[in-house]
Amino acid sequence: MTPIIVILIYLGLLLALGVFSSRFFRGTSADYFVASRSIGPFLLLMSVFGTTMTGFALVGSSAKTYNLGIGVYGLMASYSGLLHSACFFLIGIKLWAFGKKYGYVTQCQYFRDRFESSALGYVLFPILVVLIIPYLLVGLIAAGSAIKGLTSPVIKPDGTVVRPGMFPELFEATNGAIPPWLTGLVIATIVLIYVFLGGVRSTAWANTFQTIVFMITGVVAFTLIANALGGPAAASEAVLERNGESMAREGKISTLHFFSYAFIPLSVGMFPHLFQHWLTAKSAKAFRLTVIAHPIFIMLVWVPCVLIGVWALGVPKMDGTPANAVLGKMVAVLVAQPIVTGILFAGILAAIMSSLDSQFMCMSTMFTNDVVVHAKGQDHFTDKQLLWLGRSFVIAIVAVTYAISLFKLPINVFDLGVWCFSGFGAMFPIAVAGVYWKRATKAGVIAALIATAALWLGLIGYDLFVFKEAHPKEEFLLAGMMPAAALFATCLITLILVSLATKAPDDKTIAKFFPKAIAK
Amino acid sequence: MNNKAIWIIFVLLFFLHQDFWNWDNRGLVFGFLPVGLAYHAAFSLAAALLWASAVKWAWPSDVEAWADESNDEGEASA
């Protein structure tokens, strides 16, 4: 019970922070959606890092390591450290410049202007929303699994009850564990409240607070778990003895499969909420800290999580644990201090919520600006009406996502996150073309978007409802590579072929987006 | 170090990411870190160093200057 009380106190603090930061809300739609371009380097780093390090990074990485071994760090974390900053450097800063020069607030606004096409926004918007939904689901499922792991009974293989469920009378159906539907509801409601109150400013402050919380608690969790296992050396030796193949990549993942994960981090080039974060930077200099610190911050979170995931394989009590529950159960079983356990779980929830808030905020902004205002015109609505339109859409998205989370999907958090990133990463050629290729046309971009989205829907459907039924622990590959490779190739080839076969953009547009200072 | 050097190092790091020589190595560094994990943790540090160098020697100041010029173009037209 004590850990749950600690978690509730944390959630209360988060709400209080959201209320406090909303007092700085200036009441305008510009401030709600873009915090009036006043967010500096430290808040930007915390915000970007907090958004990208999600339930996927904490719950997902340990879950995937439990199945696949230590190679998980190399496939995601170290690639991300190299490629995320490359994307920020190559594309992010230029997009910031366009945003500042021409006043863009959303990704759709930029692409519509760049490719001279109003229709492009109506094609891009639903695709972005559909791709974000798995990302939101990662958050809700990860939170539900973690809290369920914390509050579940611990039973030995011989049937001996080591620890009963935390609330046996309240939640009989789950043997005393808090059911995931309740955790999801609480998390979604709290995020909704502080996003509702203060928009981007609240999410930036909340992200900063939560990023600090989850980084500190991650290191603490790692230290306590390591100590409970007799020290890091003993923990690793135990795994070598029981499950040695998980300490290397041979037999677990092929070199081609490993290489093809390179397409996943390219997703930052098209993540709509990152576009918005780029737009909220005070100046380009605000990116510098992010570009340098991002690889280090990823390392500080992922190394402990991967070690916790692999060390679980050396602990007999953990045998048979569902992968998504590994992190929660390792903390619950090995950390014998209820207050510390509560703080550690608050850290896990912090990571999850710091991503959810940005997604909700981002989609609210896109819907309001790219669909409603674009269709009806700026003068059709008052500022207050725009704010309420944005808030209403947030509520609708939260409700839809929560409803989906109630279904038991045959996929773990890591793989669900990877599907989301694969979709965004596949569209990376469009982001690059926008900044570097004068010959890219609106027809090429629209065709590439539709082809990529159609293929993504087909492949994720096949994975979820056909492949995973027969191979629940295996990764779905195409020609030995991640599906992201095929999606990327589809987008790239379609973009090039259709662009070259259609009319080139207007000279005025080229001059606007390729001025001498940027056209290198 | 100039812009070209930064991107050469980037490409080099990209290929060094594929550490096939560590694939079946179950050894431990510092007594507890699997070699495959230790190598990639060091890779992350190398990436941070690369980007610190890029910020110092290859920062696109001209892009900043262009964006900070007074804006006669006005708002987005689409």
Side-chain angles (χ1 to χ4, degrees), chain A residues 104-373:
Chain A
Y104 305 124
V105 171
T106 70
Q107 192 173 12
C108 287
Q109 283 180 342
Y110 160 72
F111 280 115
R112 273 175 161 146
D113 208 22
R114 168 66 181 86
F115 292 108
E116 311 164 324
S117 168
S118 172
L120 195 158
Y122 293 123
V123 172
L124 182 58
F125 174 76
I127 290 172
L128 294 174
V129 172
V130 166
L131 287 176
I132 287 172
I133 285 174
Y135 197 66
L136 302 179
L137 281 171
V138 162
L140 293 183
I141 293 170
S145 299
I147 297 299
K148 191 177 176 191
L150 169 67
T151 55
S152 287
V154 177
I155 302 171
K156 282 186 183 172
D158 64 6
T160 314
V161 176
V162 175
R163 187 197 71 187
M166 210 175 269
F167 303 99
E169 278 144 31
L170 274 178
F171 306 114
E172 276 182 54
T174 49
N175 294 319
I178 293 178
W181 66 261
L182 180 57
T183 304
L185 186 64
V186 168
I187 297 303
T189 304
I190 288 174
V191 173
L192 191 64
I193 288 171
Y194 70 75
V195 167
F196 195 92
L197 285 173
V200 167
R201 193 179 299 283
S202 275
T203 60
W205 278 97
N207 275 350
T208 298
F209 172 60
Q210 294 191 105
T211 300
I212 292 169
V213 167
F214 84 66
M215 286 184 75
I216 292 172
T217 57
V219 173
V220 170
F222 172 74
T223 307
L224 291 175
I225 287 172
N227 285 345
L229 292 172
S236 292
E237 290 293 342
V239 182
L240 278 172
E241 204 177 297
R242 293 186 93 226
N243 206 314
E245 65 270 17
S246 294
M247 297 291 262
R249 283 161 282 176
E250 185 68 38
K252 288 288 195 180
I253 183 166
S254 74
T255 50
L256 183 59
H257 181 187
F258 188 80
F259 170 75
S260 67
Y261 259 88
F263 293 98
I264 308 298
L266 299 179
S267 53
V268 296
M270 279 296 279
F271 253 128
H273 67 282
L274 286 175
F275 257 78
Q276 268 187 246
H277 279 304
W278 289 332
L279 290 172
T280 59
K282 223 178 207 170
S283 73
K285 284 182 180 51
F287 290 124
R288 292 184 180 192
L289 186 59
T290 300
V291 163
I292 298 168
H294 196 67
I296 298 172
F297 277 31
I298 292 176
M299 183 190 74
L300 290 174
V301 172
W302 278 70
V303 166
C305 288
V306 165
L307 280 173
I308 289 170
V310 80
W311 285 345
L313 293 164
V315 181
K317 275 188 223 171
M318 294 296 296
D319 288 351
T321 301
N324 283 346
V326 161
L327 180 64
K329 204 164 169 190
M330 282 287 273
V331 173
V333 166
L334 296 176
V335 177
Q337 302 162 34
I339 292 176
V340 174
T341 300
I343 293 170
L344 297 180
F345 271 86
I348 295 170
L349 294 180
I352 291 166
M353 292 162 76
S354 66
S355 302
L356 289 178
D357 56 21
S358 301
Q359 306 315 310
F360 293 159
M361 195 57 241
C362 176
M363 284 192 291
S364 162
T365 307
M366 290 195 310
F367 174 74
T368 307
N369 287 282
D370 302 329
V371 177
V372 177
V373 169

Side-chain angles (χ1 to χ4, degrees), chain A residues 49-71:
Chain A
F49 184 68
T51 303
T52 51
M53 290 298 113
T54 62
F56 170 81
L58 295 189
V59 176
S61 65
S62 49
K64 192 70 172 177
T65 304
Y66 190 66
N67 285 337
L68 205 65
I70 56 100

Side-chain angles (χ1 to χ4, degrees), chain B residues 44-65:
Chain B
S44 296
L45 291 173
L49 268 173
L50 168 68
W51 296 118
S53 305
V55 163
K56 187 163 173 63
W57 285 296
W59 185 256
S61 307
D62 48 354
V63 174
E64 265 188 292

Side-chain angles (χ1 to χ4, degrees), chain A residues 73-74 78-79 82 85 89 93 100-102 104 113 232 236 249-250 253 255 258 284-285 288 517-518 520, chain B residues 17-19 22-23 26 31-32 37 40-41 44 48 51 58-59 62 64 66 68-69 71 73 75-78:
Chain A
Y73 183 91
S78 55
Y79 254 147
L82 183 68
S85 291
F89 206 85
I93 291 167
K100 185 155 188 214
K101 197 79 166 172
Y102 305 130
Y104 305 124
D113 208 22
S236 292
R249 283 161 282 176
E250 185 68 38
I253 183 166
T255 50
F258 188 80
K285 284 182 180 51
R288 292 184 180 192
I518 293 179
K520 286 191 219 175
Chain B
H17 185 270
Q18 198 74 7
D19 60 325
N22 285 328
W23 227 251
R26 297 185 189 185
F32 74 96
L37 180 56
H40 281 276
S44 296
W51 296 118
W59 185 256
D62 48 354
E64 265 188 292
W66 175 79
D68 288 335
E69 280 167 11
N71 182 11
E73 293 285 337
E75 298 298 300
S77 57

